[in-house]
Amino acid sequence: MFSIAVINQKGGVGKTTTVANLGQALAAAGCDVCLVDLDPQSHLTLHFGIEPGATRTSIYDVLTDRADIRSAILPVADRLWLVPSEIDLAAAEVELAATVGREQILRDSLREPPLPQKLVLIDCPPSLGLLTLNALAAADEVMIPLQPHFLALHGLGKLLETVGLVQRRINPVLRVAGVILCMYETGTRLAAEVVADLRAFLQAARHLDCPWNRTRIFRSIIRRNIKLAECPSHGKTIFQYDSSSRGAADYAALADEFAACYPDLIPAQSAAEAEPIRTPARPAAYNPAQAPPIVPVRRPRESTEP
Ligand SMILES: Nc1ncnc2c1ncn2[C@@H]1O[C@H](COP(=O)(O)OP(=O)(O)O)[C@@H](O)[C@H]1O
Ligand SMILES: [Mg+2]
């Protein structure tokens, strides 16, 4: 079992969307994936059409020692499982205040004994509190979804500082594997400038002894696409909701790149066989001049954007 914490203390940057859709794409490519919803807002749980609090057990019961994590795991698709969240999780930080080793509860529950799935993706809340510390203590690696706009790098320093602290004190193997550029506005100068700054920052860390000295920026960027914003309200991943959308193409490309970086997790052969979620060629960058005309649609929640 290999675990990755998807973190950024900023909300609305694409953490949950990435965990749901990258997880689904990797599962379809032949990897057994378990997703853990560690956010009391339960957006990942909702993304799979599961009502928070309606399940018998949740990650809250696991962290407060009321249940084994195995009793909370739900199958949500072929090769894909979810440990759901619920609003009570917000109280866990207070409830655990006096518990010795409270940062390591998730790690112990995932590893003793290890979950049977090959990959665990942990969707973190938008804070650097106890829940995120539990994710960092449990994870082998960190991935950071980042929306490239003004101030994006501002919060990154604090985030990396926290990762460094956890790595030194609790989890020596912890590395920052990559940054995923989400909600990317193609063609804007600001996005390109932020990415150039990020690249320079990571380059400067190459010779330092820190967990982000080998961090890659994934080449597969996730462009802003309304279909990605629509699919959670239908309880579907982008591949079930609109497999021909730009959002599906971007997450499929990210999954391909991920698979190439982690050959032990996703066998190349089964990645190549994974026809159902692969969209044909990756569409060219969005060009408003070539966009189809807007036509009225019957269902108001769905747009006509490709
Ligand atoms: N690439 C994208 N294009 C358009 N909307 C997106 C994209 N990625 C995420 N969203 C939407 O933006 C909002 C925030 O994304 P989310 O993944 O929930 O962020 P986080 O988990 O970091 O708070 C959600 O409504 C989501 O559906
Ligand atoms: Mg989220």
Side-chain angles (χ1 to χ4, degrees):
M1 190 208 66
F2 190 79
S3 57
I4 297 179
V6 178
I7 77 170
N8 191 328
Q9 76 274 33
K10 199 166 160 12
V13 296
K15 292 182 289 295
T16 302
T17 307
T18 297
V19 169
N21 295 304
L22 177 62
Q24 169 71 85
L26 295 173
C31 181
D32 287 351
V33 184
C34 182
L35 311 178
V36 178
D37 189 350
L38 206 54
D39 186 349
Q41 296 178 97
S42 313
H43 290 166
L44 183 65
T45 304
L46 287 162
H47 205 127
F48 286 94
I50 296 166
E51 192 58 40
T55 58
R56 202 161 46 88
T57 47
S58 76
I59 192 68
Y60 167 74
D61 301 298
V62 176
L63 294 180
T64 52
D65 210 18
R66 291 180 171 94
D68 186 283
I69 196 162
R70 283 152 195 80
S71 71
I73 298 178
L74 303 170
V76 287
D78 196 25
R79 289 185 177 273
L80 189 64
W81 290 263
L82 170 75
V83 179
S85 179
E86 62 177 305
I87 187 71
D88 285 353
L89 184 59
E93 302 216 6
V94 179
E95 285 183 46
L96 295 172
T99 306
V100 176
R102 57 188 176 277
E103 299 89 5
Q104 306 188 31
I105 303 172
L106 182 63
R107 173 165 82 181
D108 292 349
S109 62
L110 290 178
R111 290 181 191 272
E112 291 173 10
L115 287 193
Q117 287 83 5
K118 266 191 164 178
L119 178 64
V120 173
L121 293 178
I122 307 167
D123 184 25
C124 292
S127 76
L128 294 174
L130 181 61
L131 294 170
T132 297
L133 288 183
N134 260 275
L136 292 175
D140 295 288
E141 293 188 350
V142 167
M143 292 218 185
I144 306 174
L146 193 103
Q147 195 184 349
H149 64 69
F150 180 62
L151 291 185
L153 298 186
H154 190 74
L156 188 66
K158 178 76 186 156
L159 171 50
L160 293 176
E161 201 180 291
T162 306
V163 172
L165 209 66
V166 173
Q167 187 255 343
R168 283 199 301 280
R169 300 213 177 138
I170 308 179
N171 182 6
V173 304
L174 190 64
R175 318 276 325 155
V176 181
V179 174
I180 302 166
L181 300 170
C182 291
M183 294 194 232
Y184 196 96
E185 305 276 6
T186 42
T188 64
R189 221 176 67 199
L190 180 61
E193 281 171 10
V194 172
V195 174
D197 286 352
L198 175 66
R199 192 161 280 126
F201 171 80
L202 293 175
Q203 190 61 39
R206 290 283 182 259
H207 66 281
L208 302 177
D209 180 19
C210 61
W212 57 94
N213 60 8
R214 291 203 303 273
T215 301
R216 73 173 66 82
I217 304 174
F218 281 94
R219 274 179 287 114
S220 315
I221 55 172
I222 310 300
R223 294 166 290 176
R224 191 177 277 284
N225 178 227
I226 190 68
K227 299 286 182 185
L228 284 168
E230 289 171 356
C231 64
S233 65
H234 295 260
K236 293 176 177 174
T237 67
I238 194 66
F239 303 105
Q240 297 148 342
Y241 180 63
D242 187 347
S243 61
S244 63
S245 63
R246 286 188 289 140
D250 288 352
Y251 275 107
L254 179 65
D256 283 344
E257 190 178 350
F258 183 98
C261 297
Y262 297 87
D264 294 346
L265 293 177
I266 303 107
Q269 198 189 349
S270 57
E273 282 167 4
E275 281 309 322
I277 64 147
R278 293 286 174 272
T279 45
R282 186 173 165 155
Y286 179 62
N287 179 350
Q290 291 171 1
I294 306 292
V295 291
V297 286
R298 241 172 286 154
R299 280 190 288 171
R301 271 215 297 245
E302 294 187 14
S303 81
T304 55
E305 192 180 333

